[in-house]
């Protein structure tokens, strides 16, 4: 979420700097992703009835298991943010005139700032779900089969409450000027600045009956999101990449913070990220150890080396200036990070995590604000999101461009990012639903790239981007708008696959728990395999490769995929199915498995890469079965 | 950790939770023991206030922006350079958009859009102050300067326009600085974000105008 974009959605200020011609000159690589953009039209999601807790629902290939209302102390109907309508603005204008004329008393001021109690991002550890909020965070026990059980709430306002967990530590992003070191908002008088906190808080959550703030790392631009990066060899060291999008603080408030463009001030806190080092045996000593210039021009060394803001061409989106990252996703097992950095998507080499180094960058004239990034499992694709309009606007209406506010699917080819296609929520939404591409993660089905994703009031959607040029939606869940007449900001902030279930945080309504249903697009075996992948701790922006234990369902999943794409000869498929059934019945035929392995290893020419990979994986699986593992 | 707070906490929990509702903690500064608060207190903590200086800032900035728009209307019949013309149009666009946002912020809080204090030009740009050589607020052109601008044309206008607009933008930066220097100001997240965006965007525009000016 980015309120600033709402405020300056015209972005006219940015386009002042560069006319179309100048913009073209600054990015020779700038060209639109070329693949197919699926059409957007009306479906069951487009005409749902409104309501805060009783809105109409549309669901496809999912089951809604639980809807959990906001925790006590984290909800007030007045706190739901609604940008004023034209009529309201006029009424307020008349009221203000009456107040001025002395014919009316001024009404009391509004109680809440925008999004004061919005639910935001999530993380999971040891069967506990942590849901961030602009007002703090809540923890739920989700280890059992029943409804999630609230364990505790922590009130610590400051927005936007992006959080991660590592062992007994919980990290939280704080960006707003209102935030105080002591988690208060109104107590500080006079010397306000000394008590202000913008940066990353660290809580000790080892004892849930006494959660304690143990450290608070101040940063020059606060913290919008952050990403945990484990040290490759030293288990005592954890790095945090801090992405900050807000204004630079005064140097008398925080020493060493300088504002301005690099031409005027080479020390500027713009154009970098913060690398924070956390010694896990003494987390209170966490400190910034680097502010790498990851946007620098490789040849000239110019600090502001990427997109300078503005439109690429007359009909292009106005893209934000690349002077920060909004979010970074790391994939330590492949030594890479993908940065969604305002005007560009970038690829970083993080083999030395303290010194991330940019190896590729992508610009696209349809992308307004590169917002988040997710690698596929293999690590040869990245799904980027574009938060056009900042998340508080209706951007999924039928008339909105289908490649704006969408996902951009990029391939990594020889270490370079290459845009392949766009995917936007295919169901048109109403003008009273804030909607744009937002946070998600992968559903771990081997042989496929499945992205689970939140679209604010556009709901939750699952897109298959195995073929990066032809993304396709395979499941969804959506509610009607909070209000039919006016846009009240709500909807799903993040939708994450956590150990077999979908958890989707809802800005105004709490969070939802969903499960997958078999369909023509996803088989029971594929779901079973995904649901069996378990991880102790999950921070979606710290990706790890899922481990699929050898199991008949894994073989069946590949076979289902190959059948769906006509990627396997029928006789061979039948023999393989029989072998899987024997395996399932506890009497695997080793000789037959070996024979099948050899047959599957012969990949016909012109087999699409996804099918070739499936055949290879299946062949290897049968080979292991043949060897008795 | 000293055992006493934990013990106290356990007692508080036992009393307030009654075994049903999970506790709500308010952590305190790093190292401090958390305290347990009620749901009502939790809600109260999320309120954000604004102070009179915030309101004045928004009201004044509207007046300030309005003059920029007025300067650009002069440009249509007087400017020589197409670059200056284009730049002017874009400035007017962004300033108008920001004015709408500031109005919205004020109206949503049922506050008057026009400032009540006499130094702010009660009804904006239409009511000039008494002294024709004194600008209404930092960086604004004085009435005499506006008259001089309106009387010029061609390259002379371009130069006056750019010089005036640079000063005008600089004034906006000063206003932001003054706002942030005050106690308890800019706590409202939207206002605080807006103030910082003014700094970022207008600094960039100043740079651009200086470049154009040096090439005239």
């Amino acid at each position: 979420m980015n309120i600033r974009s709402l405020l300056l959605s015209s972005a006219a200020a940015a386009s002042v700097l560069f006319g179309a011609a100048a913009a073209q000159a600054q990015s020779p690589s700038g060209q639109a992703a070329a693949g197919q953009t699926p059409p957007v039209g009306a479906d069951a999601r487009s005409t749902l009835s409104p309501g805060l807790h009783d809105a109409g629902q549309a669901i496809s290939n999912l089951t809604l298991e639980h809807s959990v209302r906001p925790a006590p102390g984290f909800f007030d109907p007045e706190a739901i943010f609604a940008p004023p309508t034209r009529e309201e603005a006029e009424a307020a204008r008349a009221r203000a005139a009456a107040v001025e004329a002395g014919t009316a008393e001024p009404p009391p001021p509004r109680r809440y700032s925008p999004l004061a109690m919005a639910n935001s991002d999530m993380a999971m550890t040891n069967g506990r779900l942590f849901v961030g909020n602009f007002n703090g965070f809540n923890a739920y026990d989700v280890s059992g089969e029943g409804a999630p059980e609230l364990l505790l709430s922590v009130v610590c306002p400051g927005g936007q409450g992006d959080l991660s967990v590592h062992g007994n530590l919980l990290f939280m992003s704080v960006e707003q000027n209102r935030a105080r070191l002591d988690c208060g908002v109104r107590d500080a008088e006079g010397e306000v600045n000394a008590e202000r906190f913008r940066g990353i808080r660290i809580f000790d959550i080892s004892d849930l009956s006494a959660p304690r703030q143990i450290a608070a790392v101040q940063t020059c631009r606060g913290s919008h999101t952050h990403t945990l990066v484990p040290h490759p060899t030293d288990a005592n060291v954890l790095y945090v990449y801090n992405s900050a999008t807000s204004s630079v603080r005064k140097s008398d408030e925080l020493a060493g913070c300088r504002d301005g463009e690099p031409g005027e001030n080479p020390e500027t806190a713009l154009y970098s990220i913060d690398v924070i080092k956390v010694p896990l045996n003494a987390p209170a000593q966490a400190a910034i150890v680097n502010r790498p210039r990851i946007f620098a021009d490789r040849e000239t060394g110019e600090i502001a080396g990427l997109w300078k803001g503005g439109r690429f061409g007359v009909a292009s989106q106005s893209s934000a200036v690349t002077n920060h990252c909004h979010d970074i996703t790391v994939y330590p097992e492949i030594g890479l990070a993908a940065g969604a950095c305002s005007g560009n998507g970038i690829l970083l080499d993080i083999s030395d995590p303290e010194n991330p180094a940019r190896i590729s960058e992508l610009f696209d004239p349809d992308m307004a604000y590169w917002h988040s990034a997710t690698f596929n499992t293999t690590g040869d694709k990245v799904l980027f999101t574009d938060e056009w309009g900042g998340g508080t606007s209706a951007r999924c209406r039928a008339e909105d461009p289908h490649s704006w506010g969408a996902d951009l699917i990029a391939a990594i080819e020889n270490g370079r990012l290459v845009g392949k296609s766009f995917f936007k929520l295919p169901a048109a939404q109403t003008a009273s639903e804030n909607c744009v591409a937002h946070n998600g993660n992968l559903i771990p089905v081997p042989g496929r790239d499945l992205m689970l994703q939140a679209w604010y009031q556009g709901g939750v959607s699952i897109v298959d981007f195995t073929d990066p040029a032809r993304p396709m939606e395979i499941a969804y869940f959506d509610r009607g708008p909070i209000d039919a007449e006016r846009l009240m900001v709500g909807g799903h902030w993040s939708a994450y696959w956590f150990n077999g279930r979908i958890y989707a945080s809802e800005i105004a309504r709490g969070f939802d728990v969903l499960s997958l249903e078999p369909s023509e697009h996803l088989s029971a075996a594929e779901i079973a395999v995904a649901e069996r992948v378990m991880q102790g701790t999950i921070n979606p922006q710290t990706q790890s490769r899922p481990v699929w234990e050898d199991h008949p369902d894994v073989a069946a999943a590949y076979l289902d995929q190959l059948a769906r794409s006509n990627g396997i000869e029928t006789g061979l498929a039948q023999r393989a199915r029989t072998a899987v059934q024997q395996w399932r019945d506890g009497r695997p035929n080793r000789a037959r498995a070996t024979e099948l392995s050899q047959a599957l290893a012969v990949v016909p020419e012109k087999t699409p890469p996804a099918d070739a990979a499936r055949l290879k994986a299946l062949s290897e699986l049968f080979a292991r079965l043949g060897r008795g593992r | 950790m000293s055992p006493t707070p934990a013990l106290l906490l356990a007692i508080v929990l036992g009393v307030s939770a009654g075994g049903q509702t999970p506790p709500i903690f308010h952590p305190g500064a790093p190292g401090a023991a958390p305290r347990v608060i009620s749901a009502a207190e939790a809600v109260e903590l999320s309120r954000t206030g604004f102070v009179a200086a915030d309101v004045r800032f928004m009201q004044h900035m509207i007046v300030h922006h309005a003059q920029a728009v007025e300067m650009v209307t002069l440009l249509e019949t007087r400017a020589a350079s197409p670059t200056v013309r284009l730049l002017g149009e874009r400035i007017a666009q962004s300033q108008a958009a920001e004015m709408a946002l500031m109005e919205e912020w004020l109206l949503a809080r049922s506050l008057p859009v026009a400032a009540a204090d006499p130094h702010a030009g009660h009804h904006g740009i239409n009511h000039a102050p008494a002294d024709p050589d004194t600008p209404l607020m930092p960086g604004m052109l004085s009435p005499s300067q506006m008259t001089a601008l309106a009387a010029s044309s061609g390259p002379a206008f371009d130069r006056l326009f750019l010089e005036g607009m640079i000063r005008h933008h600089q004034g906006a930066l000063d206003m932001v600085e003054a706002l942030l220097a005050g106690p308890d100001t800019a706590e409202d997240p939207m206002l605080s974000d807006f103030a910082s965006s003014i700094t970022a965007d207008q600094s960039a525009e100043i740079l651009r105008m200086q470049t154009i000016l040096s090439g005239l």
Side-chain angles (χ1 to χ4, degrees):
Chain A
M1 183 69 72
N2 193 330
I3 300 173
R4 186 179 174 280
S5 307
L6 168 75
L7 278 161
L8 285 177
S9 55
S10 73
S15 64
V16 166
L17 277 175
F18 294 95
Q24 232 140 9
Q26 76 175 9
S27 177
S29 62
Q31 59 176 42
Q36 292 178 359
T37 302
V40 174
D43 73 9
R45 288 170 277 183
S46 303
T47 51
L48 294 168
S49 59
L52 180 61
H53 291 303
D54 54 356
Q57 297 176 358
I59 195 161
S60 169
N61 300 333
L62 298 172
T63 297
L64 177 62
E65 296 194 340
H66 307 286
S67 288
V68 180
R69 299 266 180 106
F74 285 79
F75 179 78
D76 187 329
E78 280 183 50
I80 299 174
F81 172 50
T85 61
R86 187 184 299 268
E87 292 75 24
E88 275 181 325
E90 277 165 16
R93 200 173 279 127
R95 199 163 60 233
V99 171
E100 234 185 318
T103 57
E105 286 294 304
R110 260 159 68 117
R111 294 174 55 197
Y112 295 103
S113 58
L115 305 170
M117 291 192 187
N119 291 307
S120 57
D121 212 24
M122 298 175 288
M124 177 174 279
T125 188
N126 294 324
R128 289 171 181 151
L129 174 73
F130 290 85
V131 183
N133 185 289
F134 277 59
N135 199 32
F137 65 87
N138 290 284
Y140 295 84
D141 183 346
V142 292
S143 59
E145 286 295 307
E149 195 183 324
L150 181 64
L151 292 171
L152 88 163
S153 303
V154 170
V155 174
C156 189
Q160 56 178 3
D162 187 55
L163 49 79
S164 304
V165 283
H166 186 95
N168 289 325
L169 302 179
L170 181 144
F171 299 80
M172 185 163 96
S173 284
V174 182
E175 71 173 358
Q176 296 171 342
N177 268 332
R178 66 193 281 221
R180 304 299 163 98
L181 205 51
D182 64 0
C183 295
V185 277
R186 298 170 77 84
D187 335 355
E189 304 228 341
E191 287 295 316
V192 181
N193 296 354
E195 295 184 24
R196 175 168 294 151
F197 177 74
R198 291 171 61 195
I200 293 185
R201 298 188 196 274
I202 307 177
F203 294 93
D204 182 340
I205 51 166
S206 55
D207 180 358
L208 286 188
S209 67
R212 188 178 279 258
Q213 187 177 199
I214 55 167
V217 182
Q218 298 266 19
T219 64
C220 288
R221 300 178 75 182
S223 176
H224 194 69
T225 69
H226 66 267
T227 305
L228 303 188
V229 192
H231 191 285
T233 52
D234 188 348
N236 187 46
V237 171
L238 178 71
Y239 290 102
V240 183
Y241 289 171
N242 179 45
S243 298
T245 62
S246 188
S247 59
V248 180
R249 300 161 76 167
K250 298 277 168 212
S251 56
D252 9 342
E253 181 172 295
L254 187 60
C257 294
R258 311 235 182 270
D259 203 354
E261 291 301 306
E264 306 160 329
N265 187 353
E267 300 297 305
T268 181
L270 305 176
Y271 301 94
S272 65
I273 58 168
D274 303 305
V275 179
I276 296 166
K277 187 178 186 177
V278 186
L280 291 170
N281 59 355
Q285 289 167 22
I288 295 173
V289 290
N290 193 10
R291 296 207 310 222
R293 295 297 189 187
I294 55 173
F295 312 126
D297 186 297
R298 276 189 211 84
E299 277 152 31
T300 65
E302 184 195 346
I303 290 168
L306 296 183
W307 185 248
K308 302 220 167 21
R311 289 178 203 279
F312 177 76
V314 178
S316 302
Q317 180 62 276
S318 176
S319 307
V321 55
T322 304
N323 69 17
H324 63 264
C325 289
H326 176 278
D327 209 342
I328 295 173
T329 293
V330 297
Y331 197 165
E333 283 152 302
I334 60 170
L336 292 178
C341 303
S342 191
N344 292 91
I346 66 173
L347 205 57
L348 297 167
D349 177 344
I350 56 160
S351 47
D352 173 7
E354 201 164 312
N355 295 290
R358 193 179 86 245
I359 53 177
S360 179
E361 62 276 342
L362 185 60
F363 171 82
D364 193 287
D366 283 337
M367 297 286 280
Y369 189 70
W370 297 68
H371 171 278
S372 51
T374 307
F375 287 98
N376 67 336
T377 300
T378 317
D380 56 7
K381 288 169 217 157
V382 182
L383 185 145
F384 288 101
T385 66
D386 173 19
E387 200 187 38
W388 171 40
T392 53
S393 319
R395 294 288 196 246
C396 303
R397 298 162 303 178
E399 66 267 31
D400 292 323
H402 302 171
S403 53
W404 289 20
D407 298 332
L408 182 149
I409 294 152
I412 303 175
E413 296 174 353
N414 303 317
R416 280 185 58 238
L417 287 167
V418 182
K420 292 292 181 184
S421 67
F422 290 102
F423 171 80
K424 189 165 184 182
L425 188 78
Q429 300 287 298
T430 66
S432 51
E433 289 167 286
N434 55 308
C435 175
V436 75
H438 214 232
N439 298 340
N441 69 353
L442 296 180
I443 296 179
V445 173
R448 296 178 76 178
D449 299 322
L450 299 183
M451 178 76 183
L452 162 68
Q453 193 179 1
W455 290 80
Y456 291 117
Q457 290 205 63
V460 171
S461 165
I462 300 173
V463 57
D464 181 335
F465 66 106
T466 312
D467 179 349
R470 284 178 194 77
M472 186 184 86
E473 186 183 52
I474 62 165
Y476 64 75
F477 169 65
D478 185 26
R479 285 196 182 88
I482 293 177
D483 190 281
E485 298 303 318
R486 67 179 307 174
L487 194 157
M488 304 190 80
V489 175
H492 292 108
W493 181 285
S494 296
Y496 293 137
W497 180 265
F498 285 150
N499 293 338
R501 289 293 177 271
I502 292 165
Y503 295 86
S505 50
E506 223 281 359
I507 289 176
R509 291 156 166 148
F511 70 92
D512 296 298
V513 187
L514 301 112
S515 55
L516 293 170
E517 284 299 320
S519 71
E520 55 176 321
H521 303 304
L522 193 65
S523 68
E526 290 177 291
I527 294 172
V529 173
E531 289 184 348
R532 215 173 282 122
V533 175
M534 290 291 152
Q535 289 176 277
T537 298
I538 310 176
N539 297 300
Q541 284 72 43
T542 306
Q543 278 188 249
S544 61
R545 190 174 279 136
V547 177
W548 294 288
E549 299 291 339
D550 287 350
H551 189 283
D553 281 340
V554 176
Y558 285 127
L559 284 168
D560 291 343
Q561 292 162 13
L562 288 162
R564 209 179 280 128
S565 60
N566 293 319
I568 188 169
E569 187 262 316
T570 319
L572 181 57
Q574 271 166 3
R575 282 189 288 144
R577 293 249 182 228
T578 307
V580 171
Q581 190 55 49
Q582 288 171 336
W583 185 9
R584 212 183 274 285
D585 295 342
R587 42 183 187 89
N589 183 329
R590 287 193 189 176
R592 178 169 289 183
T594 304
E595 180 205 321
L596 272 167
S597 168
Q598 287 158 356
L600 290 161
V602 184
V603 177
E605 268 184 64
K606 292 184 182 169
T607 303
D611 282 342
R614 289 162 184 152
L615 288 167
K616 180 166 181 285
L618 194 53
S619 165
E620 289 167 357
L621 181 57
F622 277 120
R624 286 193 296 276
L625 185 64
R627 287 196 302 269
R629 240 171 296 180
Chain B
M1 172 170 104
S2 126
T4 326
L7 188 64
L8 281 176
L9 194 62
I11 296 164
V12 172
L13 281 181
V15 172
S16 70
Q20 290 297 315
T21 315
I24 304 176
F25 295 99
H26 188 233
R35 64 191 182 98
V36 173
I37 59 173
S38 68
E41 283 176 279
V43 168
E44 178 66 26
L45 269 163
S46 95
R47 290 191 195 191
T48 340
F50 55 88
V51 294
D54 292 329
V55 178
R56 265 200 312 278
F57 170 79
M58 290 302 232
Q59 291 169 335
H60 289 189
M61 196 59 92
I62 290 174
V63 179
H64 191 268
H65 276 35
Q67 191 183 54
V69 176
E70 199 187 16
M71 286 167 72
V72 173
T73 56
L74 296 175
L75 176 145
E76 282 165 24
T77 51
R78 293 167 178 83
S81 153
T83 316
V84 173
R85 197 180 291 269
L86 188 66
L87 173 103
E89 279 160 11
R90 287 180 173 162
I91 288 179
Q93 251 179 35
S94 70
Q95 301 260 316
E98 289 183 15
M99 281 163 70
L101 291 162
M102 290 186 280
E103 281 192 26
E104 257 181 34
W105 188 89
L106 291 162
L107 292 171
R109 286 157 186 77
S110 303
L111 296 161
V113 170
D117 65 282
H119 301 295
H122 196 68
H123 292 287
I125 53 171
N126 298 327
H127 288 230
D131 180 1
D133 292 321
T134 308
L136 269 172
M137 45 193 79
M140 279 181 72
L141 271 62
S142 69
S144 322
Q145 285 169 325
M146 276 303 279
T147 313
L149 183 66
S152 64
S153 66
F157 174 88
D158 290 352
R159 185 167 292 279
L160 276 180
F161 177 85
L162 288 173
E163 286 169 355
M165 195 61 88
I166 289 170
R167 200 158 55 238
H168 180 273
H169 274 29
Q170 191 58 52
L173 300 187
D174 293 345
M175 285 165 73
V176 171
E177 194 138 320
L179 171 78
L180 296 178
D184 293 317
T185 53
E187 278 191 11
D188 179 283
M190 191 174 254
L191 186 144
S192 134
D193 284 354
F194 176 61
S196 55
S197 72
I198 288 184
T199 304
D201 298 329
Q202 305 224 350
S203 308
E205 287 183 10
I206 289 174
L207 208 65
R208 174 79 176 135
M209 288 190 284
Q210 280 166 341
T211 312
I212 299 176
L213 191 59
S214 63
L216 280 185

